[in-house]
Amino acid sequence: MKEAFITKEQAEEISRKYPTPFYIYSEAGIRSAVRGLKKAFSWNPGFREYFAVKACPNPFLIKILQEEGCGTDCSSYTELMLSESLGFHGQDIMFSSNATPAADFEYARKLDAIINLDDFTHIDFLAQHGGIPEEICLRYNPGGKFGVGNRFMGNPGDAKYGMMPEQMVEGIRKLMKMGAKRFGIHAFLASNMIDKDYYPALAAVLFKEAVRLQKETGAVFSFVNLSGGIGIPYLPDEQPADIDYIGRHVEQAYREIIVPSPIGSLDIKTELGRYITGPYGILVTRVLHEKNTYKHYLGTDACAANLMRPAMYGAYHHIVVLGKEHEPCVKTYDVTGGLCENNDKFAVDRRLPETVPGDLLAILDAGAHGFAMGYNYNGKLRSAELLLKEDGSVQMIRRAETPKDYFATFDFSDIIKVD
Ligand SMILES: *Cc1c(COP(=O)(O)O)cnc(C)c1O
């Protein structure tokens, strides 16, 4: 049974101050996810999680993660700005970008962030724009398909990211000549994997690659970055990824591959996003209309511009009709937003309790790649983000957009003035 971490009474009270739709995040949930992750990897003294900023780029939430000891994983100029403004610096920041502008590399170097190079040609580009640091990471792409046993997980051979095995060797040789002294390697081979064998299998691939690269180049390896990709149970019948199993089995691969090799030891880094905040964010929206035509529709005050995963990937997000948690699911609805796009549906053919205009819906597991992927199509405005703190109070951590924000980029013209 999936449950919302707020009740109808709480949501109604909050909505009197912060009108729907809004996002609300659970501080307690986010802290417990990081603590569980750190515990599972505590066998590795240098372990560190670099939260993938793109998953939920709210400085108030990232500050909580900073208190828990996390760094940030950035891939753009503004994500670096956000990190710098919170006091992240040097080893606190991984810069895992691709198709990177010169100014972004220059800024990352100014912050002394750990740079994760996506391509061989970026070596010269970085040398010209910021310079080659002493410690640097290379993003690996083994090609082909990736899986465990006969479980298919991902298609690295089709992915735009990373370097081929020969390019890794050439890259490290070239970087050593240019002054690099310590290396890390990184790969992201599958996304949203609740399969507990994904991370251990990925770790084994990266550990073996590090050993091979050390042997061929003599380079010093200081870390392996397992990147993101641990999934969350969006569906009611799915189980959360078993983080203790994952930690233990990454350790087993480490003991088998790294410990007996000339590398001997290295730090494990992760760049999880979804796993850290995904289950701990809810989009709360009110039903505005019930429409009965060829199907039953519930039209809400949120739309795909607030949460695009269902429209973009056909992703499942569980919906709780607040206050009706214990009523039987007797009716089949499409839950829609108001975009002039027929894919603007949070759910299709979803069994829900009898629902009427005025009811509040909690769209669950929206805490990662939710608000962050929002946009302004159809002139829709981004919602507020709220934080349910550990003491039970609610703090606004981003205000809702107003029409003035929407028109702000016409500030050079006299055509539109909004106050
Ligand atoms: C998106 C991304 C992540 C985070 O992915 P999740 O699926 O949220 O864990 C980590 N690293 C890189 C380089 C990414 O692009």
Side-chain angles (χ1 to χ4, degrees):
M1 252 310 277
K2 286 185 83 74
E3 286 173 9
F5 56 75
I6 51 167
T7 63
K8 176 188 164 75
E9 289 66 37
Q10 274 177 303
E12 285 291 1
E13 193 190 322
I14 294 166
S15 76
R16 279 191 279 279
K17 189 154 177 203
Y18 307 108
T20 56
F22 57 79
Y23 272 81
I24 186 159
Y25 302 92
S26 160
E27 175 180 8
I30 292 170
R31 286 193 193 272
S32 77
V34 189
R35 289 176 191 172
L37 172 72
K38 285 175 71 176
K39 188 165 150 282
F41 283 88
S42 56
W43 55 268
N44 185 258
F47 173 79
R48 196 164 189 200
E49 153 72 359
Y50 292 73
F51 178 68
V53 171
K54 75 162 191 269
C56 199
N58 187 302
F60 291 86
L61 299 180
I62 293 174
K63 197 160 185 321
I64 291 171
L65 297 169
Q66 186 179 40
E67 286 165 16
E68 295 294 334
C70 297
T72 57
D73 163 37
C74 303
S75 67
S76 66
Y77 197 92
T78 46
E79 289 178 358
L80 288 169
M81 284 175 74
L82 197 155
S83 298
E84 183 183 23
S85 69
L86 290 169
F88 292 95
H89 183 84
Q91 289 278 325
D92 303 329
I93 306 171
M94 282 289 312
F95 188 59
S96 291
S97 61
N98 66 96
T100 313
D104 294 24
F105 272 142
E106 281 159 10
Y107 189 17
R109 286 292 290 126
K110 195 184 106 202
L111 296 178
D112 204 19
I114 305 171
I115 290 174
N116 183 15
L117 287 179
D118 182 61
D119 185 42
F120 183 83
T121 63
H122 295 182
I123 298 170
D124 282 332
F125 192 75
L126 178 63
Q128 287 156 21
H129 301 286
I132 303 295
E134 286 201 353
E135 184 174 47
I136 191 158
C137 186
L138 282 78
R139 189 164 181 167
Y140 176 49
N141 185 331
K145 297 195 189 317
F146 182 75
V148 177
N150 55 10
R151 270 128 69 210
F152 171 81
M153 291 178 177
N155 224 340
D158 263 356
K160 66 173 178 172
Y161 308 108
M163 296 180 227
M164 300 192 296
E166 317 84 79
Q167 296 173 322
M168 295 290 283
V169 175
E170 288 309 306
I172 287 174
R173 290 201 175 120
K174 183 169 170 128
L175 285 161
M176 285 170 83
K177 285 198 199 110
M178 295 167 101
K181 298 201 161 39
R182 295 180 310 283
F183 292 86
I185 56 171
H186 164 286
F188 191 157
L189 303 184
S191 185
N192 190 28
M193 297 301 309
I194 44 177
D195 189 319
K196 58 192 187 314
D197 291 314
Y198 166 63
Y199 239 35
L202 168 69
V205 167
L206 283 170
F207 293 158
K208 284 178 193 155
E209 180 64 6
V211 171
R212 178 186 82 97
L213 292 168
Q214 193 282 330
K215 201 163 142 194
E216 294 199 26
T217 65
V220 173
F221 280 84
S222 50
F223 68 87
V224 158
N225 183 340
L226 301 177
S227 178
I230 297 184
I232 60 170
Y234 286 102
L235 291 159
D237 58 358
E238 286 176 324
Q239 294 303 313
D242 182 343
I243 201 70
D244 292 324
Y245 174 101
I246 290 169
R248 273 199 316 280
H249 286 251
V250 171
E251 179 181 16
Q252 196 180 319
Y254 180 90
R255 293 200 183 287
E256 283 167 14
I257 302 163
I258 295 297
V259 173
S261 78
I263 297 174
S265 72
L266 47 68
D267 295 342
I268 308 287
K269 298 184 193 292
T270 57
E271 295 172 344
L272 296 164
R274 190 186 318 266
Y275 180 78
I276 303 295
T277 57
Y280 313 109
I282 295 176
L283 173 58
V284 177
T285 178
R286 199 178 289 281
V287 177
L288 299 178
H289 303 282
E290 181 186 4
K291 171 171 176 170
N292 297 302
T293 53
Y294 304 100
K295 301 182 85 172
H296 299 302
Y297 293 101
L298 297 172
T300 68
D301 60 9
C303 67
N306 304 108
L307 174 65
M308 84 185 303
R309 296 188 71 261
M312 188 176 184
Y313 312 115
Y316 182 96
H317 279 265
H318 198 68
I319 296 177
V320 173
V321 185
L322 291 173
K324 297 186 176 175
E325 288 85 348
H326 302 295
E327 292 186 16
C329 294
V330 291
K331 209 161 160 180
T332 304
Y333 295 103
D334 283 11
V335 181
T336 78
L339 292 184
C340 303
E341 277 286 343
N342 196 38
N343 69 356
D344 182 15
K345 293 169 184 162
F346 292 119
V348 174
D349 295 333
R350 184 72 58 88
R351 298 288 289 173
L352 292 174
E354 185 81 47
T355 303
V356 294
D359 279 344
L360 287 173
L361 306 182
I363 304 181
L364 304 189
D365 302 312
H369 313 294
F371 183 97
M373 292 173 90
Y375 53 104
N376 283 124
Y377 189 49
N378 261 178
K380 297 289 185 179
L381 303 177
R382 288 179 181 80
S383 75
E385 292 186 292
L386 310 174
L387 178 64
L388 177 63
K389 307 226 278 190
E390 284 188 304
D391 64 10
S393 64
V394 172
Q395 181 189 0
M396 183 173 71
I397 55 173
R398 189 194 299 264
R399 67 162 172 80
E401 281 181 344
T402 66
K404 197 170 173 187
D405 297 308
Y406 180 73
F407 293 115
T409 42
F410 298 111
D411 58 2
F412 58 91
S413 93
D414 293 326
I415 298 171
I416 286 210
K417 291 239 179 288
V418 186
D419 289 303

